[in-house]
Amino acid sequence: MISVESYKRPETIAEALKLLKTGKFGIIAGGTDVIPQMRHTPARSLLDIGKLGLDFVRENDNTVEIGAAATHSQIQNNPLIQRFLPLLSTACGLVGSWQIRNRGTIGGNIVNASPCADSAPALLIYDTKVVLLSSQGRRSVNLSEFIKKPYLTVLTAKDLVHSFVCQKGDDSAGNSFIKLGRRQAVNISRMTIAVSLVRDDSNKITMAKIAVGSVFPTPTRISELENKLIGQIVSKELFDETADLAADLMIKASGVRWSTPYKKPVLIGLMRRALVGASGIKEIPA
Ligand SMILES: Cc1cc2nc3c(=O)[nH]c(=O)nc-3n(C[C@H](O)[C@H](O)[C@H](O)COP(=O)(O)OP(=O)(O)OC[C@H]3O[C@@H](n4cnc5c(N)ncnc54)[C@H](O)[C@@H]3O)c2cc1C
C-alpha cells in the first residue's frame, strides 16, 4: 500500500525552497517513478512542483533552456526543440506510452538517474548543464557530472532542479537516435545510441558527437569515438572500426559479463546503424 505523510503544492519557487530546506520533503513531479517506488518505501512527505511554472521552453542566443517540469510530450512536440535539439525531441517521443509521456517530466527522468533514461544521451549530445536552486542560491552542473552512478546524482534533499540549458545543435548535422527494447510499446530501453555528425562536401567528418545509454553504468558521451571520426572521410571501414571500438570500451569499463555475448554484437550493430543514419549517405563507400 502507498501512504503519504504530508503533501504540499507550493505556488512559488521561494516557498518550495523554504520547504525543501527543512530536509523533510521528497519532490514529486509526474510521479511515474516516485509512485511505483513508494510501494516499497516508508511513508514520505511529498512536495509537488506542478504549480511552480517549471514547464517552460525558451530560446537564448546559443542555447535552449527547458524547465525541469516540462513533460516528454511537451518536449517531443515543441517547435524550438524539434528545430534546435532534434535528438531530444525524438528521444522523448520514444518514452513509455503516451500516458507516461504526458505525465513524466524531463527533470524526473534525469534525477531518477536510471542508466536507461531515454532523455539522457540526447541531452549529453547538446552539452547540457543542469541548473539547481536551493535556499543557498543557484548553481549549474554539467550533466556529465550530475549523474554520479546508477540512481544517484549530486542532488541533495534541499535542491530543486530548475532547468536544463542545452547548446543548440548544428543546423547542418545529420542525427540518429536508436532505442532498443524488448518490444515495440511501453518499452524500457535495453540500449540507446544518439549520434550527431557534420560532414563537408568531400565527406570528411568535421563534427561528431556520440552518446549512449545502458552501455556504461551511467549515460555517457564517448569522446574516444568522436576523436576517431573527426577529420576522417566517411567509409564503411571507418564506421566498422568505430563500432568495434565502442564494444572494446564497453568491455574495458565493465569487464566480460553474462550479458556480453548479447550486448557486444548488439552495440556493434546499432552503432554502425546509427553512424550510417547520421551520415545521411545511403551507400557508404567501402
Ligand atoms: C510504465 C512506465 C514506462 C516507462 N517508460 C520509460 C521509458 O521508455 N523511458 C524512460 O526513460 N523512462 C521510462 N519510465 C520512467 C519514468 O516515466 C521517467 O523517468 C519520467 O521521466 C520520470 O518523470 P516524473 O516527472 O514522473 O518523475 P517523478 O516520478 O515525479 O520523480 C522522479 C525522481 O525525480 C525527482 N525529481 C523530479 N523532479 C525534480 C526536480 N525538478 N528537482 C529535483 N528532483 C526532482 C523525484 O524526487 C524523484 O526522485 C517509465 C515509467 C513507467 C511507470
Side-chain angles (χ1 to χ4, degrees):
M1 201 182 83
I2 294 175
S3 48
V4 176
E5 211 162 65
S6 68
Y7 173 85
K8 301 272 187 205
R9 200 172 196 219
E11 298 198 4
T12 65
I13 289 180
E15 205 187 328
L17 296 181
K18 204 169 154 192
L19 290 167
L20 286 175
K21 195 179 170 189
T22 65
K24 289 185 185 153
F25 288 88
I27 289 176
I28 183 166
T32 60
D33 281 320
V34 166
I35 299 287
Q37 286 160 7
M38 283 173 67
R39 290 198 199 116
H40 313 289
T41 50
R44 303 169 63 187
S45 294
L46 292 179
L47 189 150
D48 186 334
I49 60 165
K51 280 195 169 175
L52 300 181
L54 292 180
D55 58 349
F56 59 84
V57 175
R58 56 190 175 220
E59 181 183 4
N60 301 313
D61 286 348
N62 299 317
T63 59
V64 175
E65 184 175 13
I66 305 168
T71 64
H72 295 293
S73 294
Q74 284 173 305
I75 292 171
Q76 175 191 3
N77 297 314
N78 183 282
L80 279 176
I81 294 179
Q82 288 170 343
R83 174 162 176 216
F84 294 116
L85 314 172
L87 285 165
L88 184 63
S89 167
T90 304
C92 289
L94 292 171
V95 169
S97 58
W98 62 263
Q99 294 94 332
I100 295 292
R101 291 193 291 277
N102 284 346
R103 290 277 331 154
T105 63
I106 190 160
N109 198 226
I110 293 302
V111 174
N112 192 49
S114 161
C116 65
D118 281 328
S119 67
L123 286 172
L124 285 168
I125 292 278
Y126 299 117
D127 299 311
T128 298
K129 287 184 187 300
V130 186
V131 179
L132 305 177
L133 299 180
S134 75
S135 51
Q136 306 286 315
R138 178 187 173 102
R139 67 190 203 279
S140 155
V141 182
N142 289 331
L143 176 59
S144 52
E145 289 151 25
F146 180 77
I147 300 177
K148 284 166 71 174
K149 58 183 194 178
Y151 305 102
L152 187 72
T153 70
V154 301
L155 212 66
T156 73
K158 297 176 185 181
D159 290 320
L160 169 74
V161 176
H162 173 265
S163 57
F164 299 90
V165 177
C166 312
Q167 294 295 317
K168 287 179 182 170
D170 190 317
D171 267 350
S172 59
N175 297 300
S176 179
F177 185 89
I178 298 180
K179 166 170 172 163
L180 175 76
R182 282 193 184 160
R183 54 188 189 198
Q184 293 297 320
V186 199
N187 195 2
I188 303 292
S189 300
R190 310 296 281 178
M191 194 179 285
T192 42
I193 301 189
V195 175
S196 186
L197 296 179
V198 177
R199 60 184 165 85
D200 66 14
D201 293 342
S202 63
N203 282 346
K204 192 203 285 177
I205 296 173
T206 55
M207 187 282 284
K209 293 185 177 186
I210 300 178
V212 291
S214 298
V215 170
F216 301 105
T218 58
T220 305
R221 269 280 288 275
I222 317 183
S223 57
E224 291 90 337
L225 304 190
E226 297 173 357
N227 294 337
K228 181 171 177 60
L229 290 168
I230 292 169
Q232 303 300 314
I233 304 285
V234 170
S235 71
K236 183 175 177 309
E237 192 186 0
L238 177 68
F239 285 176
D240 285 352
E241 284 177 9
T242 307
D244 288 347
L245 177 58
D248 291 346
L249 292 168
M250 175 181 75
I251 292 168
K252 195 171 159 200
S254 42
V256 176
R257 296 179 169 195
W258 63 269
S259 57
T260 307
Y262 165 76
K263 275 199 142 177
K264 182 179 172 185
V266 166
L267 175 57
I268 291 173
L270 291 186
M271 184 60 74
R272 260 196 225 127
R273 204 192 298 170
L275 290 167
V276 172
S279 77
I281 304 176
K282 285 212 175 94
E283 297 289 326
I284 301 287

